[in-house]
Amino acid sequence: MGLSRRDFLKVSASGGLMLASNLTPVPGLAREPVHLLPDAQGILYDATVCIGCKACMTACKEYNHLPPDHYHPDNIWDDPVDLSAKTINIVKLYTNGTGVAKDQEKNGYSYIRRLCMHCVDPSCVSACPVSALTKDPNTGVVRYNKNNCIGCRYCQIACPYNVPKFQWDQAFPQIVKCQLCAHRFPQGGYAACCEFCPTGASIFGNVQDLMKEAKRRLALKPGQMAEYPLRRVDSHDKTPRKVTPYLNHIYGAQEGGGTQVLMLANVPFNQLGLPQLPPGSQASHSETLYHTLYKGMIVPYVVLGGLFYLIYKNTTGHELP
Ligand code: SF4
Ligand code: SF4
Ligand code: SF4
């Protein structure tokens, strides 16, 4: 597989960071990692329960006022193949061999959702020099403020999940990503993807409750009947289903310091396109360096100012007042 421009930038950026941190030990470079907030809100996605109906994608578009994404230009319907500036939540398909057995790595298939993971200690927030991306102090949702954004796209390079997308086709482009439908919270709403998921494959709620639910599912025996909550983790509306096998791995419990979107599956997550990340927060190591690099942009402005001064002086023969 070739190295994409994005991957090249990521490798270059992380290589540069590693080089810089090796060559220039900065005292106090690392800050304390951010921990999961008690009222953190998130999503549990269970690929073994997902039927690939894409109702979550339709609801997401509707409640976030996003236009259709035409991968095949002749199609009149929405047919995205990946996250984009028009698609902030996508259900993708993994297949192998004959592709007949659901949730099997060999000769099987699995669905997998891709969206912002709402990292506990987000690299995008850490990399953003102007606080256009922030983590809500109560819900932990990673929000975007277009009024602060300067379009530097550091967040795109910093995100290990390739989530933030840039509106290249707009005159005044913004970064686009899932914000967990936080605009619906004040009216008692929650993530539209979970509200409209018919099977309970995506459920919304307090992250600690979602983690308990994920552990409960992993403790179930394949073949037994069990109740699965619909829409919200604390819902009394449950659906019975025969348990199928799970990998003993809650994706997001540890990865990169943890995420508020947790995932279960029976196919290894790296096969499903999710990155294998070390358990600790990467943002806590890189934040000071990112900000130092950004402050370095002051230098070009100083040089530019000096050039303007010289031009003015040489063309007028006068000192500036
Ligand atoms: S997944 Fe990417 S965009 Fe979302 S919070 Fe984490 S670092 Fe930020
Ligand atoms: S939380 Fe809202 S914005 Fe995020 S994927 Fe679900 S529907 Fe889309
Ligand atoms: S709505 Fe639920 S079952 Fe349908 S694709 Fe989305 S997560 Fe899967």
Side-chain angles (χ1 to χ4, degrees):
M1 189 186 293
L3 195 66
S4 68
R5 183 169 166 270
R6 162 172 295 284
D7 292 338
F8 173 77
L9 286 170
K10 279 180 189 296
V11 169
S12 306
S14 51
L17 290 171
M18 283 166 64
L19 190 67
S21 42
N22 283 339
L23 293 178
T24 325
V26 182
L29 178 67
R31 58 155 169 77
E32 282 299 306
V34 175
H35 297 292
L36 186 69
L37 296 161
D39 291 330
Q41 304 295 301
I43 290 171
L44 171 62
Y45 169 71
D46 185 336
T48 73
V49 183
C50 181
I51 56 171
C53 66
K54 302 192 177 182
C56 53
M57 291 176 60
T58 309
C60 178
K61 290 237 158 166
E62 183 178 347
Y63 284 89
N64 289 285
H65 311 293
L66 289 164
D69 209 350
H70 300 299
Y71 177 70
H72 298 95
D74 296 338
N75 280 353
I76 54 167
W77 55 83
D78 189 43
D79 67 342
V81 293
D82 212 338
L83 294 179
S84 73
K86 296 173 180 167
T87 300
I88 58 177
N89 162 49
I90 190 163
V91 180
K92 299 176 98 172
L93 178 66
Y94 160 88
T95 56
N96 175 268
T98 58
V100 291
K102 187 169 188 301
D103 303 309
Q104 295 299 316
E105 184 180 5
K106 301 276 182 251
N107 292 323
Y109 70 98
S110 173
Y111 299 109
I112 184 70
R113 280 189 69 189
R114 298 304 306 271
L115 71 166
C116 174
M117 301 294 282
H118 295 279
C119 302
V120 172
D121 196 351
S123 295
C124 59
V125 170
S126 196
C128 180
V130 290
S131 299
L133 285 157
T134 51
K135 191 165 174 68
D136 185 277
N138 299 314
T139 64
V141 173
V142 178
R143 302 293 307 265
Y144 172 70
N145 181 346
K146 66 178 182 186
N147 297 322
N148 285 0
C149 182
I150 55 171
C152 69
R153 299 169 51 228
Y154 280 14
C155 56
Q156 289 196 288
I157 297 172
C159 173
Y161 299 98
N162 280 351
V163 163
K165 300 298 172 195
F166 193 63
Q167 293 175 317
W168 289 103
D169 58 348
Q170 299 291 315
F172 298 100
Q174 298 173 25
I175 287 290
V176 183
K177 71 168 202 73
C178 159
Q179 300 188 62
L180 215 62
C181 290
H183 63 289
R184 304 182 72 215
F185 293 178
Q187 290 77 40
Y190 56 98
C193 52
C194 298
E195 185 177 344
F196 289 89
C197 175
T199 63
S202 290
I203 54 172
F204 182 85
N206 178 287
V207 178
Q208 292 174 55
D209 294 341
L210 294 171
M211 185 67 77
K212 278 186 209 148
E213 173 64 11
K215 288 179 179 168
R216 181 187 78 89
R217 293 184 190 188
L218 292 188
L220 297 170
K221 299 251 179 309
Q224 80 174 92
M225 292 301 293
E227 300 268 299
Y228 282 61
L230 291 166
R231 299 181 288 279
R232 298 188 60 111
V233 69
D234 52 4
S235 169
H236 296 299
D237 194 5
K238 297 177 197 268
T239 183
R241 80 175 248 110
K242 190 187 270 190
V243 177
T244 55
Y246 287 104
L247 277 183
N248 190 21
H249 182 178
I250 303 171
Y251 192 93
Q254 301 281 334
E255 282 77 5
T259 58
Q260 292 181 205
V261 173
L262 305 172
M263 295 189 173
L264 295 175
N266 194 42
V267 171
F269 289 100
N270 61 331
Q271 299 286 352
L272 299 179
L274 286 157
Q276 289 177 301
L277 300 175
S281 153
Q282 301 305 297
S284 62
H285 293 292
S286 56
E287 180 168 286
T288 311
L289 188 56
Y290 274 129
H291 288 186
T292 305
L293 289 171
Y294 178 70
K295 279 178 194 153
M297 286 174 67
I298 292 166
V299 173
Y301 286 121
V302 171
V303 172
L304 199 62
L307 282 172
F308 278 130
Y309 173 77
L310 283 174
I311 291 165
Y312 180 85
K313 195 178 157 192
N314 290 338
T315 51
T316 61
H318 298 290
E319 297 285 330
L320 284 172

